[in-house]
Amino acid sequence: DISHRERTRAIVTKAFNKKEVKEWFAPEWEVINECTILHKDSNGNIKEHRPDRVITNGEKTLVIDYKTGKQNDKDVEQVKTYINLLKQMGYSNIAGHIWYIHRNDIINISQ
């Protein structure tokens, strides 16, 4: 019988062995973890957004959102919102990724 800790360790180890995930944690990226992005909505209310991980190398910017639940259309819309807000802030060549950790599945999002 495998303990919960051992199962979790196996899931994380497998996930971090994925080529795309390894790239996200390479040292050449400038990392902005849990950054807060503020903006005004159409009613003038200030909204706060917090992508899990934003990385940039000066030429390309990636938004990565980690999920542990089932795939949801709201997840895609959330990452698209992050991409649009980063564009408004002057970033270019932005791509988004949703990483469903337990399934070790990555959904790529571009606009």
Side-chain angles (χ1 to χ4, degrees), residues 90-109:
Y91 290 91
S92 60
N93 194 15
I94 305 170
H97 307 280
I98 303 170
W99 182 19
Y100 293 95
I101 296 171
H102 291 289
R103 292 187 348 231
N104 200 20
D105 190 25
I106 297 170
I107 306 296
N108 299 312
I109 300 163

Side-chain angles (χ1 to χ4, degrees), residues 1-12 102:
D1 192 283
I2 299 174
S3 73
H4 177 70
R5 179 184 287 184
E6 289 169 333
R7 273 194 307 266
T8 301
R9 186 182 314 249
I11 289 168
V12 170
H102 291 289

Side-chain angles (χ1 to χ4, degrees), residues 33-52:
N33 280 318
E34 295 286 343
C35 65
T36 301
I37 302 171
L38 300 174
H39 79 98
K40 285 187 181 181
D41 68 11
S42 58
N43 296 321
N45 298 315
I46 294 178
K47 298 290 181 179
E48 184 176 304
H49 299 273
R50 298 193 78 184
D52 292 325

